[in-house]
Amino acid sequence: MSSPHDFDFFHGAWNVLHRRRTDFLDPGSDWEEFPGRSECRPLFDGAANIDEIDMPHLGAKGLTLRLFDPVRKVWSLNWASSRSGTLFPPVFGRFQGPRGEFQGDDTHDGKDVRVRFVWSGISPATARWEQAFSVDGGETWVTNWIMEFTRARDPRTASGTPGA
């Protein structure tokens, strides 16, 4: 069952290795890789957080606002891009054990898509995020973006982990 502290692991600074498809809807398209950096801070005593991710390769930044609904015990993940300056439709979901899955509806290149975010591989020093799109209501998925997070060294601590 999800809790307001599911994303506590993500607080702090991270180095990011991005892998994304050159065409988000084509499972045969090429992958491109590039580095980035992300920093997340808690809000609402852990029941919310906000992160900014810097992607110099794309000339863009992204922002995610995550909010926990204590009644429904689900998270909403709300993404914005510096390119558009607007929020994309949220995805909703929860963690079950060490894996979090979040889904919602959006459009991409004029097509209706179902969007899925998966968080996995979570440890104090690592995490993995994947995005996939479905054009058939979730019957099949094309994974189109993967981010491998590794904890960035925090100069304020010897261990590199905030609060350690």
Side-chain angles (χ1 to χ4, degrees), residues 38-154:
S38 177
E39 188 154 350
C40 179
R41 65 184 180 95
L43 303 164
F44 299 165
D45 298 321
N49 64 59
I50 192 165
D51 76 77
E52 181 180 38
I53 189 160
D54 188 7
M55 300 169 286
H57 172 77
L58 300 179
K61 293 184 179 188
L63 177 139
T64 306
L65 172 64
R66 297 175 189 87
L67 299 164
F68 184 72
D69 177 337
V71 174
R72 294 178 37 224
K73 304 237 185 283
V74 298
W75 286 89
S76 64
L77 283 56
N78 306 270
W79 167 255
S81 168
S82 64
R83 288 184 174 167
S84 67
T86 60
L87 282 171
F88 287 70
V91 295
F92 298 91
R94 62 176 45 100
F95 277 84
Q96 292 186 358
R99 183 178 185 274
E101 185 170 321
F102 309 86
Q103 293 190 22
D105 295 311
D106 202 346
T107 59
H108 179 74
D109 286 342
K111 294 181 181 163
D112 291 337
V113 295
R114 185 83 180 150
V115 178
R116 180 178 69 195
F117 294 171
V118 174
W119 280 95
S120 63
I122 297 166
S123 77
T126 62
R128 179 183 174 100
W129 174 88
E130 294 180 26
Q131 173 181 275
F133 286 175
S134 174
V135 293
D136 59 12
E139 292 293 318
T140 61
W141 295 93
V142 175
T143 299
N144 54 37
W145 199 318
I146 299 169
M147 291 187 224
E148 298 284 351
F149 292 87
T150 54
R151 180 72 63 189
R153 182 154 183 83
D154 185 336

Side-chain angles (χ1 to χ4, degrees), residues 16-20 32-36 55-58 145:
V16 186
L17 175 60
H18 295 265
R19 289 186 68 233
R20 73 176 200 158
E32 65 175 335
E33 290 189 5
F34 54 93
M55 300 169 286
H57 172 77
L58 300 179
W145 199 318

